[in-house]
Amino acid sequence: MSIELHYADSGVPEQTDALPLVVLHGLFGSADNWRSHIRHWRQTRRVVAVDLRNHGRSNHTSGMHYEDMAADVLEVMNQLDIQRCDLLGHSMGGKVAMTLARRHPQRIARLIVADIAPIAYEHGHDDIFRAHRLVEDALPESRKEADDVMAEAIDNRTTRQFLATNLVRDDQGILGWRVGLDFIEEGYSDIVAPPGGENPYTGPALVLRGENSDYVTDDALPVIADIMPASKVDTIKGAGHWLHAEQPEAFIQAIDAFLNTDRSR
């Protein structure tokens, strides 16, 4: 069952023949992560960045099945009268995007998947869940306090800074998480599962992977070819899993080149 999602809509530029671009974040991300990218793309096209369920400003609910999350996004498109769009998803959002494209290919002109493959993953996020729980218990009143607590579970400062984008202050001045942490942890087995859908997506597709990331290995390429037979795979040099944040210019250039290849679709 779909739920209502929060989204950021850039609006339609005065002169454009480009299809809207719908953008989906990854696990523990939000539409806010795409602000600088949206500033670039909104010059030539409408951009809609969505907060997936249990993330950002969207509602919290049980169920992290990709079929349900894809239905949520489709409902946003229907609300905004977007009959056809280009679709970009990073990590978990990439699996949502693949599911939506496979289930409703007539609604997706081009598909862009950032650093995720249509496979089940065995790695976990135990350190990230632990960091969240430590912050919940600590009731921090400053971002430095929250960062110090998270450092007990996560050494990487960039990762802690990324997670901290989800901290919000309550009426008592205490910082807490805006993500639906319990529902995410409860549905984690569905998050690491393959995307939904039964048929391949035969439209144009671009898979971007980070040179230093292990999310899209060469072993996954045959599965990608089966699920997205018209896809090409490009590697962003010097990037890890958060390739859009680590190498934003190269990321945008790769997407622009792909989207501008055939504007007649």
PDB file of all heavy atoms in Angstrom, residues 109-146:
ATOM      1  N   ALA A 109      11.194   7.147 -19.215  1.00  0.00           N
ATOM      2  CA  ALA A 109      11.878   7.294 -20.503  1.00  0.00           C
ATOM      3  C   ALA A 109      13.316   6.797 -20.429  1.00  0.00           C
ATOM      4  O   ALA A 109      13.787   6.073 -21.311  1.00  0.00           O
ATOM      5  CB  ALA A 109      11.853   8.756 -20.943  1.00  0.00           C
ATOM      6  N   ARG A 110      14.022   7.201 -19.394  1.00  0.00           N
ATOM      7  CA  ARG A 110      15.402   6.776 -19.178  1.00  0.00           C
ATOM      8  C   ARG A 110      15.598   6.507 -17.689  1.00  0.00           C
ATOM      9  O   ARG A 110      15.028   7.195 -16.854  1.00  0.00           O
ATOM     10  CB  ARG A 110      16.395   7.859 -19.615  1.00  0.00           C
ATOM     11  CG  ARG A 110      16.290   8.295 -21.065  1.00  0.00           C
ATOM     12  CD  ARG A 110      17.191   9.507 -21.296  1.00  0.00           C
ATOM     13  NE  ARG A 110      16.911  10.194 -22.517  1.00  0.00           N
ATOM     14  CZ  ARG A 110      15.902  11.070 -22.682  1.00  0.00           C
ATOM     15  NH1 ARG A 110      15.096  11.326 -21.670  1.00  0.00           N
ATOM     16  NH2 ARG A 110      15.720  11.673 -23.831  1.00  0.00           N
ATOM     17  N   LEU A 111      16.452   5.545 -17.407  1.00  0.00           N
ATOM     18  CA  LEU A 111      16.699   5.117 -16.028  1.00  0.00           C
ATOM     19  C   LEU A 111      18.166   5.314 -15.699  1.00  0.00           C
ATOM     20  O   LEU A 111      19.041   4.907 -16.471  1.00  0.00           O
ATOM     21  CB  LEU A 111      16.309   3.648 -15.862  1.00  0.00           C
ATOM     22  CG  LEU A 111      16.597   2.984 -14.520  1.00  0.00           C
ATOM     23  CD1 LEU A 111      15.794   3.640 -13.402  1.00  0.00           C
ATOM     24  CD2 LEU A 111      16.278   1.486 -14.600  1.00  0.00           C
ATOM     25  N   ILE A 112      18.441   5.940 -14.559  1.00  0.00           N
ATOM     26  CA  ILE A 112      19.812   6.122 -14.086  1.00  0.00           C
ATOM     27  C   ILE A 112      19.918   5.509 -12.694  1.00  0.00           C
ATOM     28  O   ILE A 112      19.179   5.890 -11.782  1.00  0.00           O
ATOM     29  CB  ILE A 112      20.205   7.606 -14.023  1.00  0.00           C
ATOM     30  CG1 ILE A 112      19.988   8.276 -15.377  1.00  0.00           C
ATOM     31  CG2 ILE A 112      21.659   7.755 -13.585  1.00  0.00           C
ATOM     32  CD1 ILE A 112      19.961   9.782 -15.300  1.00  0.00           C
ATOM     33  N   VAL A 113      20.827   4.573 -12.534  1.00  0.00           N
ATOM     34  CA  VAL A 113      21.020   3.865 -11.271  1.00  0.00           C
ATOM     35  C   VAL A 113      22.422   4.168 -10.768  1.00  0.00           C
ATOM     36  O   VAL A 113      23.405   3.907 -11.465  1.00  0.00           O
ATOM     37  CB  VAL A 113      20.824   2.351 -11.450  1.00  0.00           C
ATOM     38  CG1 VAL A 113      21.099   1.623 -10.147  1.00  0.00           C
ATOM     39  CG2 VAL A 113      19.416   2.052 -11.950  1.00  0.00           C
ATOM     40  N   ALA A 114      22.531   4.737  -9.576  1.00  0.00           N
ATOM     41  CA  ALA A 114      23.816   5.167  -9.035  1.00  0.00           C
ATOM     42  C   ALA A 114      24.301   4.216  -7.953  1.00  0.00           C
ATOM     43  O   ALA A 114      23.716   4.130  -6.869  1.00  0.00           O
ATOM     44  CB  ALA A 114      23.718   6.590  -8.488  1.00  0.00           C
ATOM     45  N   ASP A 115      25.335   3.487  -8.257  1.00  0.00           N
ATOM     46  CA  ASP A 115      26.111   2.638  -7.351  1.00  0.00           C
ATOM     47  C   ASP A 115      25.279   1.621  -6.584  1.00  0.00           C
ATOM     48  O   ASP A 115      25.367   1.514  -5.352  1.00  0.00           O
ATOM     49  CB  ASP A 115      26.948   3.467  -6.382  1.00  0.00           C
ATOM     50  CG  ASP A 115      28.253   2.741  -6.031  1.00  0.00           C
ATOM     51  OD1 ASP A 115      29.008   2.436  -6.974  1.00  0.00           O
ATOM     52  OD2 ASP A 115      28.504   2.463  -4.857  1.00  0.00           O
ATOM     53  N   ILE A 116      24.497   0.879  -7.322  1.00  0.00           N
ATOM     54  CA  ILE A 116      23.773  -0.260  -6.748  1.00  0.00           C
ATOM     55  C   ILE A 116      23.493  -1.231  -7.889  1.00  0.00           C
ATOM     56  O   ILE A 116      23.336  -0.814  -9.039  1.00  0.00           O
ATOM     57  CB  ILE A 116      22.465   0.172  -6.050  1.00  0.00           C
ATOM     58  CG1 ILE A 116      21.989  -0.892  -5.041  1.00  0.00           C
ATOM     59  CG2 ILE A 116      21.392   0.498  -7.052  1.00  0.00           C
ATOM     60  CD1 ILE A 116      22.785  -0.937  -3.776  1.00  0.00           C
ATOM     61  N   ALA A 117      23.448  -2.502  -7.584  1.00  0.00           N
ATOM     62  CA  ALA A 117      23.138  -3.524  -8.576  1.00  0.00           C
ATOM     63  C   ALA A 117      21.826  -4.219  -8.199  1.00  0.00           C
ATOM     64  O   ALA A 117      21.423  -4.190  -7.030  1.00  0.00           O
ATOM     65  CB  ALA A 117      24.273  -4.548  -8.658  1.00  0.00           C
ATOM     66  N   PRO A 118      21.154  -4.847  -9.156  1.00  0.00           N
ATOM     67  CA  PRO A 118      19.884  -5.523  -8.866  1.00  0.00           C
ATOM     68  C   PRO A 118      20.096  -6.902  -8.254  1.00  0.00           C
ATOM     69  O   PRO A 118      19.636  -7.920  -8.759  1.00  0.00           O
ATOM     70  CB  PRO A 118      19.228  -5.603 -10.247  1.00  0.00           C
ATOM     71  CG  PRO A 118      20.366  -5.666 -11.201  1.00  0.00           C
ATOM     72  CD  PRO A 118      21.460  -4.831 -10.603  1.00  0.00           C
ATOM     73  N   ILE A 119      20.801  -6.923  -7.136  1.00  0.00           N
ATOM     74  CA  ILE A 119      21.148  -8.174  -6.459  1.00  0.00           C
ATOM     75  C   ILE A 119      20.884  -8.021  -4.967  1.00  0.00           C
ATOM     76  O   ILE A 119      20.675  -6.924  -4.462  1.00  0.00           O
ATOM     77  CB  ILE A 119      22.631  -8.544  -6.679  1.00  0.00           C
ATOM     78  CG1 ILE A 119      23.546  -7.434  -6.129  1.00  0.00           C
ATOM     79  CG2 ILE A 119      22.918  -8.787  -8.162  1.00  0.00           C
ATOM     80  CD1 ILE A 119      25.031  -7.761  -6.179  1.00  0.00           C
ATOM     81  N   ALA A 120      20.928  -9.155  -4.245  1.00  0.00           N
ATOM     82  CA  ALA A 120      20.877  -9.118  -2.784  1.00  0.00           C
ATOM     83  C   ALA A 120      22.280  -8.845  -2.247  1.00  0.00           C
ATOM     84  O   ALA A 120      23.270  -9.314  -2.811  1.00  0.00           O
ATOM     85  CB  ALA A 120      20.351 -10.444  -2.244  1.00  0.00           C
ATOM     86  N   TYR A 121      22.341  -8.073  -1.180  1.00  0.00           N
ATOM     87  CA  TYR A 121      23.628  -7.741  -0.573  1.00  0.00           C
ATOM     88  C   TYR A 121      23.742  -8.416   0.784  1.00  0.00           C
ATOM     89  O   TYR A 121      22.759  -8.530   1.516  1.00  0.00           O
ATOM     90  CB  TYR A 121      23.773  -6.223  -0.422  1.00  0.00           C
ATOM     91  CG  TYR A 121      24.064  -5.528  -1.736  1.00  0.00           C
ATOM     92  CD1 TYR A 121      23.027  -5.200  -2.615  1.00  0.00           C
ATOM     93  CD2 TYR A 121      25.363  -5.222  -2.116  1.00  0.00           C
ATOM     94  CE1 TYR A 121      23.288  -4.577  -3.822  1.00  0.00           C
ATOM     95  CE2 TYR A 121      25.637  -4.595  -3.313  1.00  0.00           C
ATOM     96  CZ  TYR A 121      24.597  -4.276  -4.167  1.00  0.00           C
ATOM     97  OH  TYR A 121      24.861  -3.666  -5.363  1.00  0.00           O
ATOM     98  N   GLU A 122      24.965  -8.818   1.117  1.00  0.00           N
ATOM     99  CA  GLU A 122      25.194  -9.497   2.386  1.00  0.00           C
ATOM    100  C   GLU A 122      25.756  -8.568   3.452  1.00  0.00           C
ATOM    101  O   GLU A 122      25.677  -8.871   4.637  1.00  0.00           O
ATOM    102  CB  GLU A 122      26.149 -10.679   2.183  1.00  0.00           C
ATOM    103  CG  GLU A 122      25.564 -11.783   1.284  1.00  0.00           C
ATOM    104  CD  GLU A 122      26.525 -12.948   1.132  1.00  0.00           C
ATOM    105  OE1 GLU A 122      27.638 -12.873   1.713  1.00  0.00           O
ATOM    106  OE2 GLU A 122      26.179 -13.918   0.431  1.00  0.00           O
ATOM    107  N   HIS A 123      26.342  -7.429   3.018  1.00  0.00           N
ATOM    108  CA  HIS A 123      26.921  -6.541   4.022  1.00  0.00           C
ATOM    109  C   HIS A 123      25.820  -5.866   4.830  1.00  0.00           C
ATOM    110  O   HIS A 123      24.685  -5.736   4.381  1.00  0.00           O
ATOM    111  CB  HIS A 123      27.815  -5.481   3.362  1.00  0.00           C
ATOM    112  CG  HIS A 123      27.124  -4.655   2.332  1.00  0.00           C
ATOM    113  ND1 HIS A 123      27.382  -4.760   0.989  1.00  0.00           N
ATOM    114  CD2 HIS A 123      26.154  -3.705   2.443  1.00  0.00           C
ATOM    115  CE1 HIS A 123      26.624  -3.917   0.325  1.00  0.00           C
ATOM    116  NE2 HIS A 123      25.867  -3.262   1.179  1.00  0.00           N
ATOM    117  N   GLY A 124      26.165  -5.458   6.027  1.00  0.00           N
ATOM    118  CA  GLY A 124      25.175  -4.858   6.910  1.00  0.00           C
ATOM    119  C   GLY A 124      25.504  -3.424   7.261  1.00  0.00           C
ATOM    120  O   GLY A 124      26.531  -2.880   6.852  1.00  0.00           O
ATOM    121  N   HIS A 125      24.621  -2.809   8.021  1.00  0.00           N
ATOM    122  CA  HIS A 125      24.813  -1.448   8.501  1.00  0.00           C
ATOM    123  C   HIS A 125      24.744  -1.430  10.025  1.00  0.00           C
ATOM    124  O   HIS A 125      24.202  -0.514  10.626  1.00  0.00           O
ATOM    125  CB  HIS A 125      23.737  -0.524   7.914  1.00  0.00           C
ATOM    126  CG  HIS A 125      23.910  -0.244   6.456  1.00  0.00           C
ATOM    127  ND1 HIS A 125      23.548  -1.150   5.484  1.00  0.00           N
ATOM    128  CD2 HIS A 125      24.390   0.854   5.798  1.00  0.00           C
ATOM    129  CE1 HIS A 125      23.802  -0.624   4.291  1.00  0.00           C
ATOM    130  NE2 HIS A 125      24.311   0.576   4.450  1.00  0.00           N
ATOM    131  N   ASP A 126      25.313  -2.465  10.654  1.00  0.00           N
ATOM    132  CA  ASP A 126      25.220  -2.580  12.104  1.00  0.00           C
ATOM    133  C   ASP A 126      25.819  -1.365  12.804  1.00  0.00           C
ATOM    134  O   ASP A 126      25.271  -0.887  13.811  1.00  0.00           O
ATOM    135  CB  ASP A 126      25.936  -3.852  12.588  1.00  0.00           C
ATOM    136  CG  ASP A 126      25.195  -5.118  12.179  1.00  0.00           C
ATOM    137  OD1 ASP A 126      24.033  -5.009  11.749  1.00  0.00           O
ATOM    138  OD2 ASP A 126      25.786  -6.208  12.288  1.00  0.00           O
ATOM    139  N   ASP A 127      26.950  -0.856  12.272  1.00  0.00           N
ATOM    140  CA  ASP A 127      27.589   0.295  12.905  1.00  0.00           C
ATOM    141  C   ASP A 127      26.708   1.543  12.809  1.00  0.00           C
ATOM    142  O   ASP A 127      26.639   2.338  13.752  1.00  0.00           O
ATOM    143  CB  ASP A 127      28.966   0.558  12.287  1.00  0.00           C
ATOM    144  CG  ASP A 127      28.912   0.739  10.772  1.00  0.00           C
ATOM    145  OD1 ASP A 127      27.897   0.338  10.155  1.00  0.00           O
ATOM    146  OD2 ASP A 127      29.884   1.275  10.205  1.00  0.00           O
ATOM    147  N   ILE A 128      26.006   1.677  11.695  1.00  0.00           N
ATOM    148  CA  ILE A 128      25.150   2.844  11.511  1.00  0.00           C
ATOM    149  C   ILE A 128      23.924   2.761  12.418  1.00  0.00           C
ATOM    150  O   ILE A 128      23.529   3.755  13.042  1.00  0.00           O
ATOM    151  CB  ILE A 128      24.754   2.986  10.030  1.00  0.00           C
ATOM    152  CG1 ILE A 128      25.993   3.387   9.220  1.00  0.00           C
ATOM    153  CG2 ILE A 128      23.633   4.002   9.854  1.00  0.00           C
ATOM    154  CD1 ILE A 128      25.753   3.550   7.742  1.00  0.00           C
ATOM    155  N   PHE A 129      23.326   1.576  12.509  1.00  0.00           N
ATOM    156  CA  PHE A 129      22.194   1.421  13.433  1.00  0.00           C
ATOM    157  C   PHE A 129      22.645   1.673  14.874  1.00  0.00           C
ATOM    158  O   PHE A 129      21.936   2.321  15.659  1.00  0.00           O
ATOM    159  CB  PHE A 129      21.580   0.028  13.304  1.00  0.00           C
ATOM    160  CG  PHE A 129      20.713  -0.140  12.093  1.00  0.00           C
ATOM    161  CD1 PHE A 129      21.032  -1.063  11.112  1.00  0.00           C
ATOM    162  CD2 PHE A 129      19.555   0.614  11.915  1.00  0.00           C
ATOM    163  CE1 PHE A 129      20.236  -1.225   9.992  1.00  0.00           C
ATOM    164  CE2 PHE A 129      18.749   0.460  10.801  1.00  0.00           C
ATOM    165  CZ  PHE A 129      19.085  -0.462   9.834  1.00  0.00           C
ATOM    166  N   ARG A 130      23.823   1.183  15.231  1.00  0.00           N
ATOM    167  CA  ARG A 130      24.326   1.392  16.593  1.00  0.00           C
ATOM    168  C   ARG A 130      24.539   2.879  16.857  1.00  0.00           C
ATOM    169  O   ARG A 130      24.201   3.386  17.942  1.00  0.00           O
ATOM    170  CB  ARG A 130      25.632   0.619  16.804  1.00  0.00           C
ATOM    171  CG  ARG A 130      26.219   0.809  18.207  1.00  0.00           C
ATOM    172  CD  ARG A 130      27.339  -0.181  18.502  1.00  0.00           C
ATOM    173  NE  ARG A 130      27.938   0.111  19.803  1.00  0.00           N
ATOM    174  CZ  ARG A 130      29.100   0.734  19.980  1.00  0.00           C
ATOM    175  NH1 ARG A 130      29.835   1.098  18.924  1.00  0.00           N
ATOM    176  NH2 ARG A 130      29.572   0.967  21.182  1.00  0.00           N
ATOM    177  N   ALA A 131      25.085   3.602  15.877  1.00  0.00           N
ATOM    178  CA  ALA A 131      25.309   5.035  16.033  1.00  0.00           C
ATOM    179  C   ALA A 131      23.990   5.769  16.273  1.00  0.00           C
ATOM    180  O   ALA A 131      23.907   6.665  17.128  1.00  0.00           O
ATOM    181  CB  ALA A 131      26.011   5.599  14.804  1.00  0.00           C
ATOM    182  N   HIS A 132      22.961   5.389  15.543  1.00  0.00           N
ATOM    183  CA  HIS A 132      21.652   6.005  15.739  1.00  0.00           C
ATOM    184  C   HIS A 132      21.131   5.761  17.159  1.00  0.00           C
ATOM    185  O   HIS A 132      20.615   6.681  17.814  1.00  0.00           O
ATOM    186  CB  HIS A 132      20.647   5.450  14.723  1.00  0.00           C
ATOM    187  CG  HIS A 132      20.726   6.091  13.373  1.00  0.00           C
ATOM    188  ND1 HIS A 132      21.655   5.722  12.433  1.00  0.00           N
ATOM    189  CD2 HIS A 132      19.977   7.070  12.796  1.00  0.00           C
ATOM    190  CE1 HIS A 132      21.480   6.442  11.343  1.00  0.00           C
ATOM    191  NE2 HIS A 132      20.467   7.267  11.526  1.00  0.00           N
ATOM    192  N   ARG A 133      21.264   4.535  17.610  1.00  0.00           N
ATOM    193  CA  ARG A 133      20.743   4.209  18.947  1.00  0.00           C
ATOM    194  C   ARG A 133      21.543   4.915  20.040  1.00  0.00           C
ATOM    195  O   ARG A 133      20.972   5.333  21.066  1.00  0.00           O
ATOM    196  CB  ARG A 133      20.776   2.694  19.157  1.00  0.00           C
ATOM    197  CG  ARG A 133      19.906   1.894  18.185  1.00  0.00           C
ATOM    198  CD  ARG A 133      18.448   2.325  18.218  1.00  0.00           C
ATOM    199  NE  ARG A 133      17.605   1.454  17.392  1.00  0.00           N
ATOM    200  CZ  ARG A 133      16.327   1.691  17.116  1.00  0.00           C
ATOM    201  NH1 ARG A 133      15.742   2.771  17.584  1.00  0.00           N
ATOM    202  NH2 ARG A 133      15.642   0.843  16.373  1.00  0.00           N
ATOM    203  N   LEU A 134      22.835   5.052  19.847  1.00  0.00           N
ATOM    204  CA  LEU A 134      23.650   5.757  20.835  1.00  0.00           C
ATOM    205  C   LEU A 134      23.216   7.210  20.967  1.00  0.00           C
ATOM    206  O   LEU A 134      23.157   7.753  22.077  1.00  0.00           O
ATOM    207  CB  LEU A 134      25.137   5.690  20.436  1.00  0.00           C
ATOM    208  CG  LEU A 134      25.821   4.331  20.614  1.00  0.00           C
ATOM    209  CD1 LEU A 134      27.199   4.352  19.965  1.00  0.00           C
ATOM    210  CD2 LEU A 134      25.932   3.970  22.096  1.00  0.00           C
ATOM    211  N   VAL A 135      22.900   7.832  19.843  1.00  0.00           N
ATOM    212  CA  VAL A 135      22.432   9.216  19.878  1.00  0.00           C
ATOM    213  C   VAL A 135      21.077   9.300  20.574  1.00  0.00           C
ATOM    214  O   VAL A 135      20.820  10.211  21.368  1.00  0.00           O
ATOM    215  CB  VAL A 135      22.363   9.803  18.459  1.00  0.00           C
ATOM    216  CG1 VAL A 135      21.657  11.159  18.454  1.00  0.00           C
ATOM    217  CG2 VAL A 135      23.771   9.944  17.871  1.00  0.00           C
ATOM    218  N   GLU A 136      20.203   8.352  20.277  1.00  0.00           N
ATOM    219  CA  GLU A 136      18.897   8.333  20.943  1.00  0.00           C
ATOM    220  C   GLU A 136      19.059   8.281  22.463  1.00  0.00           C
ATOM    221  O   GLU A 136      18.333   8.961  23.200  1.00  0.00           O
ATOM    222  CB  GLU A 136      18.081   7.126  20.471  1.00  0.00           C
ATOM    223  CG  GLU A 136      17.469   7.255  19.097  1.00  0.00           C
ATOM    224  CD  GLU A 136      16.588   6.067  18.744  1.00  0.00           C
ATOM    225  OE1 GLU A 136      16.807   4.960  19.296  1.00  0.00           O
ATOM    226  OE2 GLU A 136      15.687   6.232  17.906  1.00  0.00           O
ATOM    227  N   ASP A 137      19.987   7.458  22.919  1.00  0.00           N
ATOM    228  CA  ASP A 137      20.184   7.301  24.367  1.00  0.00           C
ATOM    229  C   ASP A 137      20.870   8.515  24.992  1.00  0.00           C
ATOM    230  O   ASP A 137      20.619   8.844  26.163  1.00  0.00           O
ATOM    231  CB  ASP A 137      21.022   6.048  24.647  1.00  0.00           C
ATOM    232  CG  ASP A 137      20.283   4.763  24.291  1.00  0.00           C
ATOM    233  OD1 ASP A 137      19.044   4.802  24.185  1.00  0.00           O
ATOM    234  OD2 ASP A 137      20.963   3.733  24.094  1.00  0.00           O
ATOM    235  N   ALA A 138      21.729   9.184  24.224  1.00  0.00           N
ATOM    236  CA  ALA A 138      22.534  10.279  24.779  1.00  0.00           C
ATOM    237  C   ALA A 138      21.763  11.583  24.925  1.00  0.00           C
ATOM    238  O   ALA A 138      22.151  12.441  25.725  1.00  0.00           O
ATOM    239  CB  ALA A 138      23.766  10.507  23.899  1.00  0.00           C
ATOM    240  N   LEU A 139      20.696  11.763  24.156  1.00  0.00           N
ATOM    241  CA  LEU A 139      19.903  13.003  24.184  1.00  0.00           C
ATOM    242  C   LEU A 139      20.792  14.234  24.022  1.00  0.00           C
ATOM    243  O   LEU A 139      20.805  15.141  24.873  1.00  0.00           O
ATOM    244  CB  LEU A 139      19.115  13.103  25.499  1.00  0.00           C
ATOM    245  CG  LEU A 139      18.180  11.929  25.819  1.00  0.00           C
ATOM    246  CD1 LEU A 139      17.548  12.132  27.186  1.00  0.00           C
ATOM    247  CD2 LEU A 139      17.106  11.794  24.745  1.00  0.00           C
ATOM    248  N   PRO A 140      21.543  14.310  22.942  1.00  0.00           N
ATOM    249  CA  PRO A 140      22.499  15.422  22.775  1.00  0.00           C
ATOM    250  C   PRO A 140      21.790  16.762  22.550  1.00  0.00           C
ATOM    251  O   PRO A 140      20.710  16.820  21.953  1.00  0.00           O
ATOM    252  CB  PRO A 140      23.287  15.021  21.530  1.00  0.00           C
ATOM    253  CG  PRO A 140      22.330  14.180  20.744  1.00  0.00           C
ATOM    254  CD  PRO A 140      21.551  13.411  21.773  1.00  0.00           C
ATOM    255  N   GLU A 141      22.430  17.822  23.019  1.00  0.00           N
ATOM    256  CA  GLU A 141      21.890  19.170  22.833  1.00  0.00           C
ATOM    257  C   GLU A 141      22.674  19.950  21.779  1.00  0.00           C
ATOM    258  O   GLU A 141      22.295  21.066  21.431  1.00  0.00           O
ATOM    259  CB  GLU A 141      21.902  19.925  24.166  1.00  0.00           C
ATOM    260  CG  GLU A 141      20.996  19.300  25.216  1.00  0.00           C
ATOM    261  CD  GLU A 141      20.969  20.113  26.506  1.00  0.00           C
ATOM    262  OE1 GLU A 141      21.539  21.228  26.516  1.00  0.00           O
ATOM    263  OE2 GLU A 141      20.384  19.627  27.490  1.00  0.00           O
ATOM    264  N   SER A 142      23.753  19.371  21.274  1.00  0.00           N
ATOM    265  CA  SER A 142      24.534  20.024  20.220  1.00  0.00           C
ATOM    266  C   SER A 142      24.955  18.979  19.192  1.00  0.00           C
ATOM    267  O   SER A 142      25.010  17.771  19.496  1.00  0.00           O
ATOM    268  CB  SER A 142      25.773  20.704  20.795  1.00  0.00           C
ATOM    269  OG  SER A 142      26.740  19.745  21.185  1.00  0.00           O
ATOM    270  N   ARG A 143      25.270  19.460  17.996  1.00  0.00           N
ATOM    271  CA  ARG A 143      25.723  18.551  16.942  1.00  0.00           C
ATOM    272  C   ARG A 143      27.090  17.957  17.269  1.00  0.00           C
ATOM    273  O   ARG A 143      27.377  16.830  16.863  1.00  0.00           O
ATOM    274  CB  ARG A 143      25.730  19.266  15.589  1.00  0.00           C
ATOM    275  CG  ARG A 143      24.318  19.559  15.091  1.00  0.00           C
ATOM    276  CD  ARG A 143      24.268  20.168  13.706  1.00  0.00           C
ATOM    277  NE  ARG A 143      22.869  20.237  13.278  1.00  0.00           N
ATOM    278  CZ  ARG A 143      22.239  19.280  12.613  1.00  0.00           C
ATOM    279  NH1 ARG A 143      22.885  18.180  12.275  1.00  0.00           N
ATOM    280  NH2 ARG A 143      20.965  19.405  12.275  1.00  0.00           N
ATOM    281  N   LYS A 144      27.910  18.699  17.980  1.00  0.00           N
ATOM    282  CA  LYS A 144      29.203  18.134  18.386  1.00  0.00           C
ATOM    283  C   LYS A 144      29.002  16.973  19.343  1.00  0.00           C
ATOM    284  O   LYS A 144      29.681  15.946  19.249  1.00  0.00           O
ATOM    285  CB  LYS A 144      30.081  19.206  19.026  1.00  0.00           C
ATOM    286  CG  LYS A 144      31.479  18.673  19.368  1.00  0.00           C
ATOM    287  CD  LYS A 144      32.332  19.693  20.060  1.00  0.00           C
ATOM    288  CE  LYS A 144      33.740  19.148  20.268  1.00  0.00           C
ATOM    289  NZ  LYS A 144      33.769  17.847  20.974  1.00  0.00           N
ATOM    290  N   GLU A 145      28.072  17.139  20.281  1.00  0.00           N
ATOM    291  CA  GLU A 145      27.771  16.035  21.198  1.00  0.00           C
ATOM    292  C   GLU A 145      27.312  14.807  20.411  1.00  0.00           C
ATOM    293  O   GLU A 145      27.749  13.684  20.689  1.00  0.00           O
ATOM    294  CB  GLU A 145      26.671  16.443  22.180  1.00  0.00           C
ATOM    295  CG  GLU A 145      27.097  17.359  23.300  1.00  0.00           C
ATOM    296  CD  GLU A 145      25.917  17.645  24.222  1.00  0.00           C
ATOM    297  OE1 GLU A 145      25.362  16.680  24.794  1.00  0.00           O
ATOM    298  OE2 GLU A 145      25.534  18.825  24.344  1.00  0.00           O
ATOM    299  N   ALA A 146      26.430  15.032  19.451  1.00  0.00           N
ATOM    300  CA  ALA A 146      25.919  13.921  18.651  1.00  0.00           C
ATOM    301  C   ALA A 146      27.044  13.262  17.862  1.00  0.00           C
ATOM    302  O   ALA A 146      27.124  12.028  17.775  1.00  0.00           O
ATOM    303  CB  ALA A 146      24.828  14.413  17.710  1.00  0.00           C
TER     304      ALA A 146
END
